[in-house]
């Protein structure tokens, strides 16, 4: 069960929820047994973490993540980080969670006040990050500090760097600035969580005194959720699309009955709430979330407000796929999913109607279906509190993604006019560019590596720093990207391939592609390029492997399609493939070549 | 609420929090006598007791408890306040 759906079924009593989760700790073994996605999490903290790590494992398991935990001894952050042979590094974690308590920071501040105490504190944390970066490829998850309740100067404290409360605010501010320039650091904004529930509820001095707990136990699940959200997004479990109902979701009333003038949107009654909700949704689109509409309506009625209602925030061009008909919503969401070529588990469905929500939950259990409140004024709060749209990075390409998918949906429709697929492909006027990894592309490359699941031959989740190393190994590594453009627009970066020279062979170490560009001949172009390089380097053959994962069944026979011979098969389904360089015949690729450069990284 | 009622309610809380219906408590019971009653679950028990009896125990009171008898006496005293 997805924890975000589980979350909805819980009542509002935080203590009740805490104990409910704690009981699941006993069943953790069973929960984990069904999961194939492992993540190794190390905790460095100057507070107790046992309850937190139990909760994180349960919440992770409920969301399909098998979290293996290493807990460093209490208050041993520096000892572990600065010692290259510490148990921390022997554990080889994927993530290192640094959890710093407000109590300890407070104590430090009172014991030795200093004019630039905040700067020193953050410098110290930076030195810990640097040590970790030297010895580990792990992503560092750094907590912010919960601003304390005490204000020795009252409101005036905000004017003084030397006041305790302002000191905390300064530390958080400098921490954020320092983290922004770090590729390996993400922030766990604990101060936001505390502020959201109220710091006076979050802070539990007695639990600190008794057991060094970082917060009141009843809010520990929030902290654990936040961590799992971060981890999930960093390994590519992200929401890509929001599917929206229309009547009583985006506006009040029923457009088919009430007409354009009758729906509530804007000043009328609760119409302001719908305008605010549309702004919230538009913000998601600008952040790269694809928007789709799924409404039980006649199409001409459904589209009308988008075209002519003066208070509509969302426009027709904001919606990538617009489905208004009388079919059941599960089928329509399935259609939307196929048109966009994304996973069902990356879709959120928002609908005010409990019947529709229930139907979609039952028929498409992977789709995330939040429980919506009756009052539209509460829509934003309820959806926002689920923190569904966590991301580990953001780039300009993300901002444009929603529009790219809309263009893609148009391409799908254009396909119908051609008899032969070749004619269609030629009409696209595709231009493809092959480039070695370069500094400019690295963040986007790392992101694609984390996100791609289906067309991914070996699912090696190289981090940005791994990619940088590959980029710099000019002798034996040939990592490259493909970017594609056609008459409808620019796809951006669509494929990542890592080639390695091993003895007299060229080994395809990793090969992944965005599913948006399947069946356009891009695979052929890439393979032609790979064999071209093998010839250029005088290598005798090309070797590839397929490592099965839960989601990459579609490329199981990828190498067979190019005439590779299967030379080895393991019990877990991993296969090895080989094809001599001179036995390969170039495959048709109906596209123009922009650049083809394996060697120079700009 | 008399001592017996507190005892029964406390037993129910222990059984629920430690997820073990076979737990039997008497005044001399200590953490060593109950499977699963360790320093981690102790914190959980404290929170559950405070919530369900609607009382607040001080740090010192909590730290000075030696056995279940002390626990019941403390709850009883708090309820009387």
């Amino acid at each position: 069960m997805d924890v975000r759906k589980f979350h909805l079924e819980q009542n509002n009593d935080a203590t009740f929820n805490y104990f409910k989760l704690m009981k699941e700790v006993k069943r953790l073994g069973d929960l984990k047994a069904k999961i194939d996605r492992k993540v190794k999490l190390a905790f460095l903290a100057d507070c107790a973490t046992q309850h937190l790590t139990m909760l994180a494992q349960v919440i992770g398991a409920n969301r399909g993540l098998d979290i293996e935990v290493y807990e460093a001894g209490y208050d041993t952050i520096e000892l572990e980080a600065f010692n290259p042979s510490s148990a921390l590094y022997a554990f080889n974690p994927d993530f290192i969670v640094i959890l710093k308590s407000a109590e300890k920071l407070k104590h430090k501040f009172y014991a030795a006040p200093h004019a630039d105490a905040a700067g020193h504190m953050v410098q110290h944390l930076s030195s810990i990050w640097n040590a970790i970066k030297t010895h580990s490829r792990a992503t560092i998850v750094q907590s912010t500090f919960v601003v304390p309740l005490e204000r020795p100067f009252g409101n005036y404290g905000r004017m003084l760097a030397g006041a305790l409360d302002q000191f905390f605010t300064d530390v958080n501010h400098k921490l954020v600035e320092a983290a922004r320039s770090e590729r390996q650091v993400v922030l766990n904004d604990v101060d936001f969580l505390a502020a959201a529930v109220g710091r006076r509820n979050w802070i539990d001095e007695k639990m600190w005194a008794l057991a060094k707990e970082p917060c009141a136990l009843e809010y520990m699940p929030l902290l654990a959720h936040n961590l799992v959200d971060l981890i999930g997004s960093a390994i590519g479990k992200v929401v890509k699309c929001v599917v929206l109902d229309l009547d009583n979701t985006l506006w009040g009333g029923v457009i088919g009955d009430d007409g354009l003038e009758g729906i509530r949107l804007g000043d009328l009654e609760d119409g302001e709430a719908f305008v605010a909700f549309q702004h919230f949704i538009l913000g998601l689109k600008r952040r790269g979330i694809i928007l789709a509409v799924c409404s039980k309506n006649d199409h001409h009625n459904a589209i009308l407000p988008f075209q002519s209602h003066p208070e509509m925030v969302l426009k027709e061009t904001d919606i990538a796929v617009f489905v208004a008909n009388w079919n059941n919503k599960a089928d329509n969401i399935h259609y939307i999913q196929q048109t966009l070529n994304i996973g069902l588990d990356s879709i959120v469905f928002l609908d005010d109607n409990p019947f529709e929500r229930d139907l979609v939950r039952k028929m498409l259990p992977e789709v995330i279906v939040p429980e919506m409140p009756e009052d539209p004024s509460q829509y934003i709060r309820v959806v926002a509190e689920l923190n569904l749209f966590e991301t580990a990075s953001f780039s300009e390409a993300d901002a444009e993604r929603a529009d790219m998918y809309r263009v893609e949906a148009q391409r799908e429709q254009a396909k119908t006019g051609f008899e032969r697929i070749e004619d269609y492909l030629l009409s696209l006027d595709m231009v493809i560019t092959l480039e070695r990894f370069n500094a400019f592309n690295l963040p986007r490359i790392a992101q694609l590596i984390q996100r791609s699941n289906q067309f991914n031959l070996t699912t090696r989740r190289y981090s940005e720093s791994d990619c940088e190393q590959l980029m710099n190994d000019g002798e034996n590594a040939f990592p490259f990207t493909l970017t594609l453009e056609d008459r409808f627009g620019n796809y951006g970066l669509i494929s990542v391939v890592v080639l390695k020279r091993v003895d007299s062979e060229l080994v395809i170490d990793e090969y992944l592609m965005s599913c948006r560009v399947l069946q356009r001949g891009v695979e052929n172009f890439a393979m032609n390029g790979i064999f071209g390089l093998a010839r250029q380097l005088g290598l005798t053959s090309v070797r590839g492997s397929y490592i099965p994962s839960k989601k990459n069944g579609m490329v199981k026979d990828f190498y067979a399609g190019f005439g590779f011979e299967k030379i080895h098969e393991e019990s877990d389904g991993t296969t090895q493939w080989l094809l001599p360089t001179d036995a390969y015949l170039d495959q048709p690729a109906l596209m123009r070549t922009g650049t083809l450069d394996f060697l120079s990284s700009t | 609420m008399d001592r017996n009622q507190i005892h029964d309610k406390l037993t129910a809380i222990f059984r629920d929090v430690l997820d073990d219906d076979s737990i039997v408590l008497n005044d001399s019971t200590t953490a060593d006598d109950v499977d699963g009653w360790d320093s981690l679950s102790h914190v959980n028990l404290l929170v559950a007791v405070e919530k369900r009896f609607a009382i607040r125990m001080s740090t010192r009171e909590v730290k000075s408890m030696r056995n279940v008898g002390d626990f019941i006496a403390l709850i009883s005293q708090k309820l009387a306040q």
Side-chain angles (χ1 to χ4, degrees), chain A residues 136-288:
Chain A
S136 170
R137 52 173 191 91
T139 299
I140 300 163
V141 182
Q142 174 67 53
S143 61
T144 57
F145 292 89
V146 177
V147 178
L149 297 173
E150 66 223 63
R151 298 193 295 172
F153 292 86
N155 288 287
Y156 191 73
R158 300 307 299 264
M159 310 279 202
L160 299 168
L164 175 81
D165 44 326
Q166 189 54 39
F167 162 69
F168 267 73
T169 306
D170 287 346
V171 169
N172 282 341
H173 181 70
K174 285 176 199 273
L175 190 59
V176 169
E177 284 199 328
R180 279 183 190 161
S181 57
E182 297 279 350
R183 282 179 181 166
Q184 247 173 285
V185 178
V186 296
L187 286 171
N188 171 22
D189 197 357
V190 184
D191 188 48
F192 168 83
L193 300 177
V197 302
R199 292 189 183 104
R200 61 191 300 275
N201 301 309
W202 182 273
I203 297 168
D204 188 338
E205 298 85 351
K206 191 166 74 189
M207 275 301 144
W208 175 261
L210 289 172
K212 298 284 175 285
E213 298 289 353
C215 65
L217 288 189
E218 60 208 286
Y219 296 113
M220 200 81 86
L222 267 184
L223 184 52
H225 266 285
N226 206 53
L227 276 176
V228 175
D229 289 344
L230 278 165
I231 308 294
S233 73
I235 64 167
K237 282 181 177 279
V238 290
V239 167
K240 294 178 182 166
C241 172
V242 173
V243 177
L244 298 153
D245 168 56
L246 297 179
D247 293 331
N248 289 315
T249 299
L250 288 192
W251 55 71
V254 176
I255 183 69
D257 297 338
D258 303 329
L260 197 59
E261 294 78 22
I263 58 172
R264 303 192 307 281
L265 189 64
D267 289 336
L268 197 66
E269 295 175 38
D270 55 2
E272 284 290 352
F274 292 104
V275 172
F277 189 57
Q278 288 198 23
H279 274 298
F280 171 73
I281 298 291
L282 184 64
L284 292 177
K285 188 212 159 198
R286 289 184 180 143
R287 117 109 182 73

